[in-house]
């Protein structure tokens, strides 16, 4: 009579799932280019300006259990004075049905360039936060987010 196999523990299953997620992250090429749709949105926002990295900090968990409610915060290094302030913050995503996640208009009276909201993420993807300064320069930060349970899935129905 064959010996029954022991059932794997919950901890072992979670470790295996985490390892599988880590393998997926490692498989993605380090020099992967932004998909054209995301790059197009960034270019449209920036206009003729070159997008620079720095000054902007996009704070979002790199791994989220549920894509339905994902807290996000964007801060920009700026004194927020009449001479040097943020005029607009925009956040775009790579794979949601609506790529324009959020836009915020600011001015020197805003006090500080710090905005927070909750968003939905359809699947694992890259997010880009952009800040336009009053001198026209555009600064950015990006984060890759792994979503365990997807949100925003659109289905088509036929009538």
């Amino acid at each position: 009579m064959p010996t029954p196999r022991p059932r794997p523990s919950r901890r072992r299953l979670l470790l295996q799932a985490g390892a599988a997620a880590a393998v997926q992250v490692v498989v993605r090429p380090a020099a992967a280019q932004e998909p054209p749709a995301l790059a197009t949105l960034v270019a449209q926002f920036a206009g003729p300006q070159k997008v620079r990295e720095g000054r902007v900090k996009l704070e979002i968990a790199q791994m989220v259990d549920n894509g339905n409610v994902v807290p996000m915060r964007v801060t920009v290094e700026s004194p927020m004075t009449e001479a040097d302030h943020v005029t607009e913050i925009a956040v775009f995503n790579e794979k949601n049905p609506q790529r324009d996640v959020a836009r915020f208009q600011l001015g020197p009276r805003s006090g500080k360039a710090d905005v927070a909201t909750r968003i939905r993420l359809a699947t694992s993807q890259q997010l880009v936060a952009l800040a336009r300064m009053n001198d026209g320069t555009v600064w950015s930060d990006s984060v890759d987010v792994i979503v365990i349970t997807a949100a925003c899935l659109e289905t088509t129905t036929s009538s």
Side-chain angles (χ1 to χ4, degrees), residues 66-131:
N66 186 340
N68 283 308
V69 182
V70 182
M72 173 193 77
R73 181 178 182 188
V74 181
T75 56
V76 183
E77 293 175 25
S78 171
M80 296 303 284
T81 62
E82 196 65 44
D84 182 6
H85 63 272
V86 178
T87 60
E88 185 176 8
I89 295 174
V91 180
F92 300 107
N93 66 66
E94 183 179 35
K95 297 180 181 174
N96 276 11
Q98 301 295 321
R99 302 281 174 103
D100 197 341
V101 175
R103 289 194 185 226
F104 305 92
Q105 302 292 319
L106 293 97
R109 291 185 181 180
S110 297
K112 60 182 178 175
D114 186 345
V115 296
T117 189
R118 295 176 191 272
I119 63 172
R120 295 179 75 175
L121 294 174
T123 186
S124 299
Q125 59 188 299
Q126 183 180 44
L127 282 93
V128 176
L130 299 161

Side-chain angles (χ1 to χ4, degrees), residues 58 65 108 130:
L58 173 58
D65 291 330
L130 299 161

Side-chain angles (χ1 to χ4, degrees), residues 17-29 124 146-147:
V23 167
Q24 289 177 346
V25 171
V26 172
V27 171
R28 184 175 181 178
S124 299
I146 297 171
V147 178

Side-chain angles (χ1 to χ4, degrees), residues 28-81:
R28 184 175 181 178
Q33 297 295 318
E34 294 177 343
L38 184 57
T40 300
L41 289 170
V42 170
Q44 287 173 350
F45 180 85
Q49 294 292 324
K50 179 182 180 216
V51 177
R52 305 172 188 187
E53 290 189 26
R55 290 188 79 169
V56 177
K57 177 69 178 159
L58 173 58
E59 297 175 35
I60 189 167
Q62 291 186 334
M63 182 178 284
V64 295
D65 291 330
N66 186 340
N68 283 308
V69 182
V70 182
M72 173 193 77
R73 181 178 182 188
V74 181
T75 56
V76 183
E77 293 175 25
S78 171
M80 296 303 284
T81 62

Side-chain angles (χ1 to χ4, degrees), residues 146-159:
I146 297 171
V147 178
I148 306 300
T149 304
C152 328
L153 298 176
E154 289 186 352
T155 59
T156 57
T157 59
S158 56
S159 32

